[in-house]
Amino acid sequence: SQKIEQNSEALNIQEGKTATLTCNYTNYSPAYLQWYRQDPGRGPVFLLLIRENEKEKRKERLKVTFDTTLKQSLFHITASQPADSATYLCALTSGTYKYIFGTGTRLKVLA
Amino acid sequence: NAGVTQTPKFQVLKTGQSMTLQCAQDMNHEYMSWYRQDPGMGLRLIHYSVGAGITDQGEVPNGYNVSRSTTEDFPLRLLSAAPSQTSVYFCASSYTGGAGELFFGEGSRLTVL
């Protein structure tokens, strides 16, 4: 069955460092991969989308890579700030109407 | 813009009761969907709709019913609540679906006793 894995353990990093989150998937050939941010008690908020034929996408301090051979996406936040503390979700879609979400990784940026 | 609005935010039900979670969006999105979020399980798709009059099942549709009579509204009905349906429910919409970014509501926390 289709499976998405994100590191379930919280990631603690020091302010100013680069945070790197991982999203691995199996038994799936996604056409699109998305990253969302979710704060406690709130709905997820869209951050970035990357297509299967794109290797890398950037938006301000965010960078996403997509390796369809390794079946992996990396999500980087450079110059991290305490305000970046949240849970980050990856989502896959093959272009149909069914989005598949990972369980999310909780990031805590320490001041 | 209000975006995606869900009501109620909190609800407690007894086993066997029925209720409807409301979802409305004001962005003229054709695609709307319902997810449930449980600890360690991530977001799981319950039902989705690609336009008025068109609905389809997601990953975990049992015990839930939906309809889409207008572009704006996509209610989720629990027919006979069970403790296993205790969860946080999110409604999400997208202009296109399939690849478009999802806009989520703030969630509805449901407890079934």
Side-chain angles (χ1 to χ4, degrees):
Chain A
S1 61
Q2 300 161 347
K3 191 174 180 180
I4 301 176
E5 290 185 346
Q6 293 185 255
N7 192 344
S8 59
E9 295 182 9
L11 176 64
N12 293 335
I13 65 165
Q14 208 64 36
E15 182 178 8
K17 301 293 186 182
T18 296
T20 299
L21 284 66
T22 304
C23 176
N24 295 299
Y25 60 93
T26 56
N27 298 324
Y28 199 69
S29 296
Y32 307 92
L33 189 146
Q34 302 179 350
W35 283 89
Y36 290 80
R37 168 183 173 142
Q38 186 174 23
D39 292 289
R42 308 294 297 275
V45 175
F46 172 81
L47 295 174
L48 279 170
L49 176 149
I50 187 166
R51 294 173 173 79
E52 61 176 338
N53 60 352
E54 295 177 318
K55 297 293 186 185
E56 182 179 298
K57 203 79 167 283
R58 292 175 184 261
K59 179 182 176 182
E60 298 173 351
R61 294 185 296 112
L62 309 180
K63 184 178 85 171
V64 172
T65 63
F66 193 9
D67 190 325
T68 55
T69 301
L70 293 178
K71 296 185 181 295
Q72 181 181 78
S73 174
L74 299 178
F75 177 78
H76 307 272
I77 306 176
T78 59
S80 58
Q81 306 165 0
D84 295 325
S85 298
T87 296
Y88 292 86
L89 311 173
C90 70
L92 304 179
T93 173
S94 62
T96 65
Y97 297 103
K98 296 183 179 180
Y99 294 68
I100 302 174
F101 280 83
T103 55
T105 298
R106 192 166 70 250
L107 172 68
K108 186 171 184 179
V109 180
L110 306 170
Chain B
N1 278 345
V4 178
T5 302
Q6 289 183 234
T7 57
K9 292 191 185 309
F10 301 94
Q11 183 72 49
V12 179
L13 290 178
K14 294 181 180 178
T15 297
Q17 288 184 319
S18 63
M19 78 156 299
T20 299
L21 299 177
Q22 301 290 345
C23 176
Q25 52 91 10
D26 61 359
M27 296 173 282
N28 201 32
H29 286 170
E30 291 296 327
Y31 179 85
M32 296 186 73
S33 54
W34 277 102
Y35 290 85
R36 59 178 290 173
Q37 187 174 40
D38 303 290
M41 299 292 290
L43 287 161
R44 291 183 292 168
L45 181 63
I46 304 171
H47 286 285
Y48 66 95
S49 168
V50 298
I54 306 170
T55 63
D56 205 347
Q57 297 181 350
E59 180 185 357
V60 288
N62 292 340
Y64 307 95
N65 201 2
V66 292
S67 60
R68 183 99 178 267
S69 57
T70 67
T71 299
E72 294 78 20
D73 300 298
F74 190 44
L76 178 71
R77 280 180 284 275
L78 280 70
L79 308 173
S80 178
S84 62
Q85 294 178 303
T86 294
S87 187
V88 180
Y89 292 85
F90 288 98
C91 178
S93 72
S94 175
Y95 181 67
T96 58
E101 64 177 278
L102 293 172
F103 292 81
F104 283 85
E106 291 298 316
S108 298
R109 182 176 293 274
L110 175 67
T111 301
V112 183
L113 304 175

